[in-house]
Amino acid sequence: MSEPNAAEDVFVDLAELEDETPTLWRLIVDAAPRSGAANMAIDQAIAEACAAGDSLPTVRFYRWNPPAVSLGRLQSIADIDALRVAELGYEIVRRPTGGRAILHTDEFTYSVAAAMQHPLMRGGVMDAYLRISNALLAGLHRLGAPAEKAPGDVRVGAEVSAVCFEAPSAYEITVGSRKLMGSAQSRRANYVLQHGSLPLVGDITRLIDALALAPNEAALLRAELRERACTLAQALGVSDDSEAVSFACVVAAMQAGFATALHLSLEPSELTAAEVRRSAALIRTQFGSDPWNRQR
């Protein structure tokens, strides 16, 4: 996931909040993985509820099952080999945010949703993007990852491939010269929704198998992606079966990171009945609809 495109760097100082009571937000941690359609529908349903004032601003942590290839909101379906995706047992879903293709498997995913007028969402895309990046960094540092955020003047050019993790954009999370986390943000209908992926373990190049590429192009992109991106296990220098890269361990670190970096009081909660109904409707009409997902 990768979407920021502001023209200048933005620095945000939250020091003025240190003497104030932490802001109350809702925390939703999905105990079980969900389908791609369900995950994208739930994120949008939460964002709409936040915009309407029916739900607190929300941080959500979740996983995917079965694995899914997600496309950016405006990305062409022609970028992926749909027959090969089906053979691999992956789903196809279109995100409500921008960016390029991601294979969601063996990962930790976060989403942040709030009304557009919320203080932490004030300004433009890059203002909120930077604040959330600082929270992600705080969580990764608790895990021991030597993570940094890409400079604010980094932009992804038109020559970049259909793969989200090929190159970082402004404020995305890196380890050395390799991209670790990708994120994307949507601002519409009075809400801000940002979500992003942290690959935990496994082969970071698996997405290449799902792309519509000639064999020589696939081999070249696979080699480039292996050099330019990494998993959390690689960043920490641990084995894929290490407890340090378990979903539960990452959830605990990220919860603390968001709370401290953004001065939040995170209240564990569940989806409201209205959010469940709305997400079910969105699955039927959008994210679970094959024609809708393939519309571009």
Side-chain angles (χ1 to χ4, degrees), residues 2-47:
S2 180
E3 195 179 55
N5 55 10
E8 61 184 52
D9 205 351
V10 181
F11 294 92
V12 180
D13 183 7
L14 298 179
E16 69 273 11
L17 300 179
E18 290 182 354
D19 295 329
E20 298 181 9
T21 302
T23 304
L24 180 62
W25 278 45
R26 180 175 59 161
L27 172 68
I28 294 178
V29 179
D30 284 0
R34 299 180 187 266
S35 70
N39 276 327
M40 294 300 91
I42 288 170
D43 276 356
Q44 183 165 319
I46 290 172

Side-chain angles (χ1 to χ4, degrees), residues 1 30 32-44 60 62-71 89-96 102-105 107 109 195 279 282-283 286-289 292-293:
M1 301 179 182
D30 284 0
R34 299 180 187 266
S35 70
N39 276 327
M40 294 300 91
I42 288 170
D43 276 356
Q44 183 165 319
R60 176 177 171 239
Y62 57 93
R63 292 170 288 176
W64 307 63
N65 188 46
V69 176
S70 76
L71 297 169
Y90 302 159
E91 294 183 334
I92 297 172
V93 69
R94 188 171 293 279
R95 300 190 302 271
I102 300 174
L103 173 60
H104 301 279
T105 184
E107 75 170 35
T109 312
H195 47 202
S279 61
L282 288 168
I283 291 171
Q286 296 184 26
F287 302 107
S289 165
W292 188 86
N293 283 314

Side-chain angles (χ1 to χ4, degrees), residues 131-151:
R131 297 179 187 116
I132 296 169
S133 288
N134 287 337
L136 297 170
L137 276 177
L140 288 167
H141 291 164
R142 284 178 174 268
L143 291 166
E148 301 176 323
K149 57 180 178 282

Side-chain angles (χ1 to χ4, degrees), residues 71-80 94 162 293-294 296:
L71 297 169
R73 185 170 61 92
L74 301 178
Q75 186 176 11
S76 172
I77 188 69
D79 284 346
I80 64 172
R94 188 171 293 279
N293 283 314
R294 296 170 184 255
R296 293 180 179 84

